[in-house]
Amino acid sequence: RGELYNDDPVLQDARLCGTTASLCGLEASLQAKDPARIERAIQKILMLNAYLFIQSGIPVIYSGDEIGQVNDYSYKDDPDKAVDSRYLHRGEFNWSLAPNRNIADTVQGKLFHALDHLEHIRSSHSVFDTTADLRTIDTWDSSILAIVRENAEEKFIGIYNFSDQDKVAWINEDDGMYTDLIPGRELEAKGVQIPAFGCFWLCRRKK
């Protein structure tokens, strides 16, 4: 759920406003009280953040994203803000939800600790330094993106499934076993089966 910004009816051009959680379906899923849809929305949010976290530079989490904050429609009641739909994702931080980050089975707990886990992984591997080489490799599926980061010590492959279907990333790296840094399991970087909206952070030490 989001809203258009600077919508041009002639050029059919516009920007999209909304919090990450609402744009990924969490708001609608919570209102529907559908556990399966809620989990799917959480998976989308985490996948997109995992994509953000492997980019070079400093990743920035928008305030409220760490607890799954949804759109704030109250801006429409303020004459000074009502004309600017960007206030949809500029609502005040929802402090009433913040304590839930310490409760593992809540939306806030799942998002907060998963993002914290990604942060710790990123800070403990040199392959995320800005000096690492960066390239993509073909997955033979337009809905799957595979990004390689590599330096003298490590080789990293981030695989992202932007589809709502389980897929196979048809990569074929012949250089040994990798560790998926997120769950800590080992696997080959060949014909990787990846769930809908899933992501893998595969890493191999060279020495």
Side-chain angles (χ1 to χ4, degrees), residues 31-64:
Q31 289 178 353
K33 299 180 180 179
D34 185 328
R37 285 176 58 187
I38 291 170
E39 290 302 315
R40 178 61 62 92
I42 290 173
Q43 183 61 44
K44 290 181 190 177
I45 295 167
L46 293 177
M47 185 267 285
L48 289 174
N49 275 282
Y51 171 70
L52 164 70
F53 274 39
I54 72 160
Q55 306 305 312
S56 296
I58 302 173
V60 177
I61 300 174
Y62 203 88
S63 177

Side-chain angles (χ1 to χ4, degrees), residues 10 21 62 77 102 116 136 173 195:
V10 177
Y62 203 88
D77 300 323
N102 297 315
D116 184 62
T136 61
E173 302 298 291

Side-chain angles (χ1 to χ4, degrees), residues 14 17 21 30 34 40 44 80 86-87 91 101 105 121 126 128 139 148-149 153 167 169 175 183 188-189 206:
C17 298
L30 289 171
D34 185 328
R40 178 61 62 92
K44 290 181 190 177
D80 294 326
R86 290 175 297 180
Y87 283 102
R101 72 190 187 280
D105 62 350
I121 294 172
S126 65
F128 294 108
T139 64
V148 178
R149 298 187 64 91
E153 293 80 34
K167 296 273 190 170
D175 48 5
E188 288 186 298
K206 296 181 176 180

Side-chain angles (χ1 to χ4, degrees), residues 59-72:
V60 177
I61 300 174
Y62 203 88
S63 177
D65 276 3
E66 71 275 30
I67 59 168
Q69 191 156 312
V70 300
N71 292 338
D72 184 351

Side-chain angles (χ1 to χ4, degrees), residues 77-125:
D77 300 323
D78 185 334
D80 294 326
K81 296 179 179 179
V83 296
D84 191 340
S85 57
R86 290 175 297 180
Y87 283 102
L88 186 66
H89 54 256
R90 293 175 177 172
E92 293 183 4
F93 187 82
N94 192 337
W95 288 103
S96 66
L97 292 178
N100 290 346
R101 72 190 187 280
N102 297 315
I103 304 174
D105 62 350
T106 63
V107 169
Q108 294 73 35
K110 292 174 182 178
L111 289 173
F112 187 88
H113 289 289
L115 292 176
D116 184 62
H117 183 47
L118 294 179
E119 291 175 23
H120 280 87
I121 294 172
R122 192 182 195 275
S123 65
S124 61
H125 287 268

